[in-house]
Amino acid sequence: MIIDILTIFPGMVAGPIRESIIGKAIERKLIDIRVINIREYAVDTHRTTDDRPFGGGSGMVMKPEPLAASIGSVRENDPTARVILLSPQGRLFDQKIAFELSRLNHICLVCGRYEGVDERIRNHYVDDEISIGDYVVTGGELPALVIVDAVARLLPGVLGSDESLIEESFTTGLLEYPQYTRPEIFESHRVPDILLSGNHGAIQRWRRQQALFRTWQRRPDLLNNDELSSEDKQLLAEEIENKKDLGIEKPGN
Ligand code: 9WO
């Protein structure tokens, strides 16, 4: 897979990519990430990438020409590349979109800065617009890194075989069950007995029940009741009763 990142701050993305599992995936030629400085496509003597908004108001807007030229250079060597603008107005990124992108041969992530990009870029140069969430950041670079990380780890061979198995079991659409490691007693708090029992059937059942309960308690939006088996419904109902008896009820925060 080829991932192009268009930015006026190439240093902001180069470091994190080099230092992560993505760096290893690049060395192993599983991904090719090219960081392109939009400023190099600005033709005036000062290499200007921003200008004042028509209609007045504060702040600056990304000029269309350098963005158009840099996107154009990507498209002309691969017309099939999916050009994606990172923007608070985009569709909300989730694991389903990560899978969708991981199936493409070439994506081009365009990072906005200042108060935004000229609307004509959005309308005539961009194929797709993605947001990583409803909060204000100073530009698209960190959101682009989030997407690169989430997509890269889904490519065949990027994760080790152990991690790939874990990945599969996480694709349940539920939150994680509670995890413990040594010591058995930490600051007087014990690991649940069942995890020390050696009864793998009982452990599996407990983990499934915990995952169901946590999801019900903290992220009910992720629970689709129609998709739960009758055993899942029973496990969840049982745990809701258990926790009620302990005085723990919704909401979980
Ligand atoms: C403005 C805004 C207004 C109300 C609620 C949330 C809001 N977020 C923003 C905002 O993030 N403005 C941009 C900051 C202006 C252009 C440069 N910035 C930016 C953010 N580029 N890309 C993002 C971004 C944010 C989240 N997901 C993907 C990209």
Side-chain angles (χ1 to χ4, degrees):
M1 179 179 209
I2 300 173
I3 304 179
D4 292 321
I5 304 176
L6 274 50
T7 170
I8 58 168
F9 291 107
M12 204 174 156
V13 293
I17 286 169
R18 214 178 330 106
E19 297 292 329
S20 62
I21 62 148
I22 306 161
K24 270 156 234 136
I26 294 168
E27 284 171 25
R28 294 166 55 209
K29 306 217 182 285
L30 301 170
I31 333 173
D32 187 8
I33 300 186
R34 307 183 294 200
V35 182
I36 296 164
N37 190 343
I38 295 165
R39 195 175 295 283
E40 290 180 8
Y41 291 83
V43 292
D44 64 307
T45 48
H46 297 104
R47 307 221 157 223
T48 313
T49 57
D50 65 337
D51 205 342
R52 289 155 42 225
F54 274 122
S58 62
M60 299 293 268
V61 176
M62 277 184 105
K63 284 172 67 60
E65 303 94 318
L67 280 167
S70 55
I71 294 169
S73 80
V74 169
R75 279 207 202 279
E76 93 190 15
N77 78 51
D78 182 2
T80 72
R82 163 105 55 111
V83 177
I84 303 166
L85 178 65
L86 285 309
S87 140
Q89 295 154 63
R91 56 192 178 125
L92 196 53
F93 190 63
D94 61 13
Q95 195 62 16
K96 188 160 173 261
I97 297 177
F99 275 111
E100 176 195 331
L101 299 183
S102 74
R103 297 188 183 286
L104 302 175
N105 290 320
H106 189 171
I107 62 175
C108 172
L109 302 173
V110 181
C111 306
R113 276 275 155 179
Y114 314 114
E115 302 337 297
V117 310
D118 187 288
E119 189 67 14
R120 292 165 292 187
I121 291 300
R122 175 174 276 119
N123 291 343
H124 304 294
Y125 279 84
V126 162
D127 302 316
D128 195 359
E129 210 167 329
I130 295 177
S131 166
I132 63 158
D134 294 334
Y135 34 77
V136 181
V137 292
T138 51
E141 285 78 9
L142 293 173
L145 286 171
V146 168
I147 289 175
V148 170
D149 191 84
V151 170
R153 62 186 292 290
L154 296 176
L155 299 175
V158 170
L159 298 181
S161 54
D162 275 19
E163 294 164 305
S164 293
L165 278 176
I166 293 167
E167 165 64 29
E168 263 173 56
S169 72
F170 279 173
T171 326
T172 58
L174 299 176
L175 299 182
E176 286 172 55
Y177 51 77
Q179 309 215 56
Y180 298 86
T181 185
R182 289 184 293 178
E184 261 180 59
I185 304 173
F186 169 68
E187 295 180 352
S188 87
H189 305 292
R190 298 189 58 87
V191 171
D193 281 335
I194 193 154
L195 297 178
L196 310 173
S197 69
N199 182 341
H200 291 294
I203 291 170
Q204 265 197 324
R205 183 180 178 281
W206 181 85
R207 285 180 166 167
R208 180 81 188 167
Q209 188 169 45
Q210 294 301 312
L212 286 161
F213 180 75
R214 283 217 156 162
T215 309
W216 173 82
Q217 188 184 40
R218 302 185 188 195
R219 291 295 308 277
D221 57 305
L222 298 178
L223 263 194
N224 182 353
N225 248 297
D226 308 336
E227 279 174 21
L228 292 185
S229 67
S230 56
E231 200 201 339
D232 279 345
K233 286 178 184 165
Q234 211 172 310
L235 284 171
L236 177 57
E238 182 186 277
E239 186 62 6
I240 290 170
E241 277 313 306
N242 288 342
K243 290 275 161 61
K244 248 188 204 151
D245 295 344
L246 295 167
I248 300 167
E249 284 194 61
K250 237 182 173 179
N253 320 304

